């Protein structure tokens, strides 16, 4: 059996571990609080620093009979490997991933330049370090991480900045010397008819093996999708075709996901590019049921679920119930509950945490979910 190392055991890493656990000798590197660390699949290793990651990988390679496959399923571990222990890349079989390309796509400002060359729209943006030179006069703005900083504050992913006073307060509260090249300030694109979508896929040598377009309907916490539904219309096909062409032209290999804003006439802006498995990656299973066999080389093409004409619905159930409950209690609008019931009915439901063959993470999610619901 092939040996595989998964870096990061959050929801994307857990998804991969469950797909690969019975098909490989699996090693899972994560943080103590990663949900996937309670999975029954794989040997577990806790690593928070580059030194720990490097040491674990070297010890696995020393004992392995063949070169292990490496799969990076976390933004933080991707940054650790790219910036501090890049030698890991050559010591593992990374399944053809071009990490010079990944490095460019992993940083928003360089990813935006690549997209704009292909006539794909992105929000107007400036690094925090340059904000004094290019002072914005149009608000609101949004602050977000241009790339993952190894020691950045996990308590926020995006922040809305409504006026110059809030911008000054944000600048004063941030260490510009350390984070000036890591935080992006960009125009905030909003409107009644704007929806947040995603395109996620696995590519090989510039060709889509499997992909899916979905609306990220609810997020909790902010920026983390807890409910998404597949979009199957001409607008979705147009967007995916544009992004497939972009990835074909750069000869991309690996997992990738784009966060997209779409208006009612089909214009779209790419907000983020994640050149790795993403938080709601399990939704891809609808169009890639044999992902484990494909990654270990046992099958050569992607297989879809039965009744693939029905839309997939991704649910991170406890976070979603918390979001629905909090919104209902805040507004007392019964329509919120009716809409949620409708969202949960029909289609192909893909529940992120649940797997009857691997209940450890389910109990962990349940414990955390009950704690959240008690806060309502």
């Amino acid at each position: 059996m092939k040996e595989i190392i998964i870096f990061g055991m959050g929801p994307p890493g857990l998804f991969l571990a469950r797909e690969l656990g019975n098909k490989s000798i699996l090693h899972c590197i994560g943080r103590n609080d990663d949900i996937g660390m309670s999975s029954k699949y794989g040997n577990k290793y806790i690593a928070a620093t580059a030194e720990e990651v490097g040491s674990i990988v070297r010890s696995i390679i020393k004992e392995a009979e063949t070169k292990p496959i490496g799969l990076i399923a976390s933004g933080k571990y991707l940054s650790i490997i790219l910036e501090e222990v890049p030698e890991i890349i050559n010591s593992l079989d990374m399944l053809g991933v071009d990490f010079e390309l990944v490095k460019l796509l992993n940083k928003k400002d360089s990813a935006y330049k690549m997209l704009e060359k292909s006539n794909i729209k992105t929000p107007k943006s400036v690094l925090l370090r340059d904000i004094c030179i290019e002072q914005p006069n149009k608000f609101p703005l949004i602050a977000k991480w241009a790339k993952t900083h190894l020691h950045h504050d996990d308590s926020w992913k995006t922040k809305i900045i409504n006026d110059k006073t809030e911008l000054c307060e944000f600048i004063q509260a941030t260490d510009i010397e350390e984070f000036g090249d890591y935080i992006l300030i960009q125009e905030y694109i909003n409107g009644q008819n704007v929806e947040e979508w995603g395109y996620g896929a696995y590519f090989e040598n510039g060709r889509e093996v499997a992909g899916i377009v979905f609306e990220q309907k609810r997020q909790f916490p902010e920026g983390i999708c807890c409910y998404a539904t597949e979009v199957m219309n001409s607008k979705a096909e147009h967007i995916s075709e544009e992004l497939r062409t972009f990835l074909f032209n750069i000869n991309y290999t690996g997992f990738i996901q784009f966060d997209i804003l779409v208006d009612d006439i089909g214009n779209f802006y790419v907000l983020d590019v994640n050149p790795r498995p993403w938080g709601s990656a399990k939704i891809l299973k609808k169009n890639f049921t044999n992902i484990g066999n494909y990654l270990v080389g046992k099958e050569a093409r992607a297989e879809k679920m039965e009744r693939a004409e029905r839309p997939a619905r991704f649910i991170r159930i406890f976070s979603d119930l918390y979001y629905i409950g909090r919104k209902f209690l805040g507004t007392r609008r019964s329509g919120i509950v009716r809409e949620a019931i409708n969202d949960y009915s029909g289609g192909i439901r893909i529940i992120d945490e649940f797997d009857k063959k691997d209940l450890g993470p389910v109990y962990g999610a349940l414990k955390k979910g009950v704690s959240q619901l008690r806060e309502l």
Side-chain angles (χ1 to χ4, degrees):
M1 295 178 81
K2 292 192 176 183
E3 296 205 30
I4 298 177
I5 303 174
I6 297 175
F7 296 89
M9 287 302 293
L14 173 60
F15 166 57
L16 291 176
R18 285 169 166 173
E19 295 300 311
L20 293 162
N22 291 328
K23 301 173 178 67
S24 63
I25 300 169
L26 190 62
H27 307 278
C28 305
I29 299 175
R31 295 185 292 182
N32 195 46
D33 58 350
D34 283 349
I35 186 172
M37 296 301 276
S38 56
S39 170
K40 73 176 186 179
Y41 296 112
N43 305 308
K44 306 299 191 307
Y45 308 84
I46 294 173
T49 66
E51 291 77 12
E52 290 169 342
V53 171
S55 175
I56 290 165
V57 171
R58 286 191 294 272
S59 68
I60 293 171
I61 291 172
K62 188 176 180 181
E63 299 296 325
E65 293 182 5
T66 59
K67 198 174 192 180
I69 293 171
L71 294 168
I72 303 174
S74 154
K76 281 212 168 184
Y77 283 103
L78 179 59
S79 292
I80 284 174
I81 290 169
L82 289 177
E83 296 178 22
E84 297 198 31
V85 281
E87 63 273 13
I88 283 176
I89 294 168
N90 292 327
S91 66
L92 299 174
D93 175 3
M94 306 304 287
L95 298 179
V97 175
D98 179 348
F99 279 90
E100 290 304 314
L101 191 54
V102 167
K103 192 181 294 186
L104 291 171
L105 292 169
N106 194 49
K107 196 167 186 293
K108 287 184 178 66
D109 53 343
S110 55
Y112 287 168
K113 289 175 183 176
M114 293 173 68
L115 289 160
E116 287 160 5
K117 285 182 180 178
S118 295
N119 297 315
I120 295 174
K121 296 177 183 177
T122 63
K124 294 177 182 176
S125 308
V126 60
L127 285 169
L128 184 61
R129 185 179 298 282
D130 300 325
I131 199 73
C132 296
I133 301 170
E134 303 181 37
Q135 288 192 7
N137 52 28
K138 186 178 178 182
F139 291 87
L141 302 169
I142 186 166
K144 58 177 63 174
W145 295 98
K147 63 175 180 176
T148 303
H149 188 284
L150 301 183
H151 311 293
H152 84 233
D153 181 0
D154 282 329
S155 66
W156 68 276
K157 187 174 181 181
T158 60
K159 285 186 178 180
I160 306 298
I161 298 172
N162 292 298
D163 51 40
K164 284 191 175 182
T165 300
E166 289 187 10
L167 178 60
C168 290
E169 290 172 353
F170 180 79
I171 292 171
Q172 290 171 1
T174 306
D175 185 339
I176 304 296
E177 190 63 35
E178 183 170 4
F179 296 109
D181 291 329
Y182 286 84
I183 296 175
L184 207 62
I185 306 295
Q186 64 182 208
E187 64 175 324
Y188 181 55
I189 302 168
N190 61 356
Q192 288 187 335
N193 298 316
V194 173
E195 296 175 341
E196 188 162 345
W197 288 16
Y199 168 68
Y202 186 82
F203 269 69
E204 196 166 284
N205 299 322
R207 298 189 182 278
E208 183 191 78
V209 176
I212 193 165
V213 179
F214 49 94
E215 180 190 352
Q216 303 184 72
K217 192 170 182 180
R218 292 189 286 274
Q219 298 181 2
F220 180 80
E222 185 67 32
I224 307 296
C225 180
C226 58
Y227 178 87
T229 184
E230 183 181 8
V231 184
M232 306 171 74
N233 58 25
S234 59
K235 195 188 301 186
E237 180 54 36
H238 165 69
I239 290 170
S240 60
E241 180 59 33
E242 291 283 316
L243 295 173
R244 282 195 295 266
T245 300
F246 168 71
L247 294 168
F248 175 80
N249 289 337
I250 62 174
N251 198 35
Y252 188 79
T253 291
F255 288 96
I256 194 161
Q257 187 258 347
F258 298 82
D259 285 328
I260 305 159
L261 282 185
V262 184
D263 66 23
D264 55 354
I265 60 172
N267 295 317
F268 74 96
Y269 297 80
V270 171
L271 303 181
D272 290 312
V273 182
N274 295 305
R276 53 179 172 78
W278 63 102
S280 56
K282 193 173 179 180
I283 196 172
L284 184 62
K285 189 169 172 64
K286 189 244 186 176
N287 294 332
F288 204 0
T289 60
N290 58 333
I291 186 170
N293 281 336
Y294 186 94
L295 292 175
V296 298
K298 289 183 178 179
E299 296 183 30
R301 52 173 291 180
E303 299 291 341
K304 294 186 177 184
M305 287 184 177
E306 293 181 8
R307 296 182 291 174
E309 72 281 355
R310 300 168 66 201
R313 302 178 189 275
F314 169 87
I315 306 164
R316 184 165 292 144
I317 193 162
F318 298 112
S319 295
D320 195 40
L321 290 175
Y322 178 82
Y323 174 93
I324 293 163
R326 191 176 67 168
K327 194 164 185 181
F328 171 72
L329 292 173
T331 63
R332 298 293 175 178
R333 286 176 47 231
S334 60
I336 291 169
V337 177
R338 286 198 302 271
E339 183 181 359
I341 292 170
N342 184 61
D343 286 341
Y344 276 52
S345 62
I348 299 172
R349 286 184 293 276
I350 297 174
I351 300 176
D352 187 41
E353 306 96 334
F354 184 74
D355 186 328
K356 63 184 179 182
K357 296 179 181 178
D358 184 30
L359 293 176
V362 179
Y363 294 138
L366 177 60
K367 184 178 178 181
K368 183 177 179 180
V370 169
S371 176
Q372 288 177 332
L373 292 172
R374 282 177 176 166
E375 296 174 9
L376 292 175

